[in-house]
Amino acid sequence: MKPIRTAVVGLNMGLYHAHAFSKAERAELTYVVDLDEEKAAKLAEELGCKYTTDWTKIMDEIDAVSFCTPHHLHASQALQAIQAGKHVLIEKPLANSEEECLQLIKAADEHHVKLMLAYVVRYLPAVRKLKEVLDSGVYGQPIHAQGYQLGLLPPMPPQSWFSRKETLGGGVLFSHGCHYIDILLWLFGEPDRVQSMGTRLGTDWLEGEGTAHSTIQFKSGVLGHLVCSWGTKVSQSPGKYHIHTTDALLELSNDMWKLEVIKKDGKDWVRELLYGGPKDDKPIPGGGVRYEINHFLDAIANDTTPETDGRDALLSHRTIWAMYKSEGVPVG
Ligand SMILES: NC(=O)c1ccc[n+]([C@@H]2O[C@H](COP(=O)([O-])OP(=O)(O)OC[C@H]3O[C@@H](n4cnc5c(N)ncnc54)[C@H](O)[C@@H]3O)[C@@H](O)[C@H]2O)c1
């Protein structure tokens, strides 16, 4: 089979996509694209591909494109590529509004192309294992779970797309928390009720909330809680996720490469997964995203639906939009 000709647009986060496409067996990295020509040229030389500053001009030379651009551009760029018959991978979020998400889903259906959200966390080996272990029921029924995504971002200028609510699509919960809300939904199924509170304390450069505490009650009764923050100077989170079942605690490490099962009488099961390769493989750009990239390429080659397709991605976005509407109950 001929390699799938790919392009990556937007070369900050896209740098990782480009490296992963260039290493993937099924793909040929044909183009890297950025408005910053120097950046694109440098990467093209490193990876041995072509470069341009205008992705709309290369549609005849590619089969699939990955958009790693600012959030407010995702919908229009993806729509144009889908209408040109290209398979599309989009960095999260799919789009900043429900209407735009639905438009993309419809267009992908009509043009028979793959539309996939780059939910990188979903495809990491230890996260896959977490779901498998939980679903097996060997540690009983899940009761409640906590997720932690704590970090500190340097302040961005007020006019940057990242600082503004309209272009970012919200605050930290929508922009970064979406990965971790997605994992809670994937693990525990249909949500029943949600609530969330946010604060701008510690992140006053950001128009939306820089810290959010968000809760989901699932239809099964399971409670899931996520704390995410871009304003945490010193973080000592106990892990990325703590999942409490009737028999054990399942702990996914902060770097998401290690899964431990802790029972009352000690550790029952530990599995360390480091990129499926040697430890020093870890810093290579594209290392973590290669799983999602391979999933996208497999979906194209085998004509299957990507797990995080448009419909699936919309569930996590809808959950967050409902959280943003929840206001809490005033005291007194
Ligand atoms: N999965 C993750 O953990 C993760 C981490 C960081 C960023 N991201 C996602 O990646 C995307 C990009 O984020 P970022 O932090 O790299 O943004 P950024 O603003 O740092 O970089 C965006 C790049 O896109 C380029 N660009 C903008 N418009 C373009 C256009 N029309 N054509 C070509 N190039 C264009 C810019 O020149 C810039 O180099 C976002 O969707 C973000 O949420 C994901």
Side-chain angles (χ1 to χ4, degrees), residues 51-236:
Y51 71 92
T52 177
T53 55
D54 185 351
W55 66 270
T56 63
K57 300 264 166 65
I58 60 168
M59 290 292 102
D60 290 345
E61 296 176 63
I62 60 166
D63 306 304
V65 55
S66 168
F67 289 109
C68 304
T69 45
H71 298 176
H72 60 295
L73 304 177
H74 289 184
S76 58
Q77 291 177 331
L79 192 63
Q80 199 175 333
I82 289 170
Q83 284 167 346
K86 306 302 155 191
H87 303 290
V88 170
L89 179 67
I90 311 182
E91 257 304 334
K92 48 78 188 166
L94 200 57
N96 284 354
S97 74
E98 168 137 8
E99 193 188 345
E100 289 171 321
C101 289
L102 291 171
Q103 221 180 350
L104 292 182
I105 293 167
K106 186 165 175 267
D109 285 350
E110 283 171 2
H111 291 272
H112 307 290
V113 296
K114 308 299 171 194
L115 170 64
M116 174 172 152
L117 193 71
Y119 263 157
V120 61
V121 177
R122 209 39 117 95
Y123 299 98
L124 296 175
V127 179
R128 308 299 291 183
K129 197 71 198 171
L130 169 63
K131 167 117 172 114
E132 189 189 314
V133 170
L134 203 59
D135 286 354
S136 74
V138 288
Y139 296 106
Q141 296 299 312
I143 301 169
H144 66 116
Q146 296 96 45
Y148 308 89
Q149 175 53 46
L150 305 180
L152 186 69
L153 282 192
M156 313 256 178
Q159 68 277 16
S160 99
W161 74 268
F162 204 92
S163 305
R164 287 181 293 127
K165 220 173 174 177
E166 194 192 335
T167 41
L168 192 71
V172 66
L173 175 63
F174 183 66
S175 180
H176 199 178
C178 61
H179 282 295
Y180 305 97
I181 293 295
D182 170 66
I183 296 299
L184 289 173
L185 296 171
W186 185 53
L187 294 177
F188 302 121
E190 250 189 286
D192 188 17
R193 295 189 303 162
V194 296
Q195 63 180 29
S196 184
M197 288 192 196
T199 180
R200 293 180 63 235
L201 285 176
T203 52
D204 55 4
W205 55 272
L206 188 72
E207 200 183 329
E209 84 290 347
T211 297
H213 284 219
S214 315
T215 306
I216 306 177
Q217 179 155 53
F218 290 87
K219 289 208 166 145
S220 60
V222 170
L223 278 180
H225 185 72
L226 176 72
V227 184
C228 54
S229 177
W230 283 332
T232 303
K233 208 161 234 173
V234 181
S235 158
Q236 291 197 337

Side-chain angles (χ1 to χ4, degrees), residues 239-305:
K240 186 61 72 180
Y241 283 104
H242 264 193
I243 294 167
H244 301 271
T245 69
T246 44
D247 292 348
L249 160 65
L250 277 61
E251 182 182 294
L252 182 70
S253 63
N254 276 312
D255 65 4
M256 295 186 282
W257 294 101
K258 188 172 168 190
L259 177 63
E260 292 188 351
V261 178
I262 300 143
K263 295 188 74 174
K264 215 172 160 203
D265 46 0
K267 279 181 191 165
D268 190 41
W269 190 87
V270 180
R271 180 150 185 194
E272 200 154 350
L273 294 147
L274 291 161
Y275 287 76
K279 261 192 174 161
D280 56 9
D281 190 18
K282 214 171 169 181
I284 294 174
V289 302
R290 72 175 173 181
Y291 302 101
E292 70 177 358
I293 296 288
N294 285 333
H295 185 88
F296 177 59
L297 294 168
D298 285 348
I300 296 170
N302 302 327
D303 193 17
T304 51
T305 304

